[in-house]
Amino acid sequence: MSAPVHSRFATTDPEQAQALIADAYADNKLRISGDTSNFRFQHERWAAGMMSVSLMSNTLTIAMDLQESDPPERGRPRDPALRGR
């Protein structure tokens, strides 16, 4: 397994936060509500191969509608080329 790659994004601009979420997570509808004068947003991601973990924190209320995708088969890679190895 490759070493995890870490990325971090932080902003005080709600529009930048919305742009990051729109780019990183397809098929979503993000709504930010509340007083944006002291807005803070942070997104961190650790990725290693086909596995990744993301953490998101902010100072406002965020509502997000995501389209659910089919989960991969347990114990089997999504990539058919890797199956059977």
Side-chain angles (χ1 to χ4, degrees):
M1 177 184 256
S2 59
V5 175
H6 178 252
S7 62
R8 181 177 181 272
F9 174 81
T11 186
T12 58
D13 182 347
E15 289 181 12
Q16 284 186 344
Q18 280 186 302
L20 171 91
I21 296 300
D23 186 53
Y25 301 97
D27 299 325
N28 76 80
K29 295 177 183 172
L30 175 70
R31 293 176 306 282
I32 298 176
S33 61
D35 179 10
T36 61
S37 61
N38 292 314
F39 178 72
R40 289 186 315 278
F41 174 88
Q42 180 174 312
H43 183 274
E44 291 192 72
R45 179 179 173 94
W46 292 265
M50 294 173 54
M51 183 178 145
S52 66
V53 174
S54 296
L55 300 173
M56 188 175 10
S57 63
N58 70 89
T59 57
L60 296 177
T61 299
I62 290 183
M64 188 182 300
D65 296 327
L66 299 172
Q67 179 147 348
E68 184 175 335
S69 62
D70 293 330
E73 298 175 43
R74 286 185 183 252
R76 296 188 57 147
R78 286 184 182 201
D79 184 347
L82 298 175
R83 291 183 183 171
R85 288 188 181 174

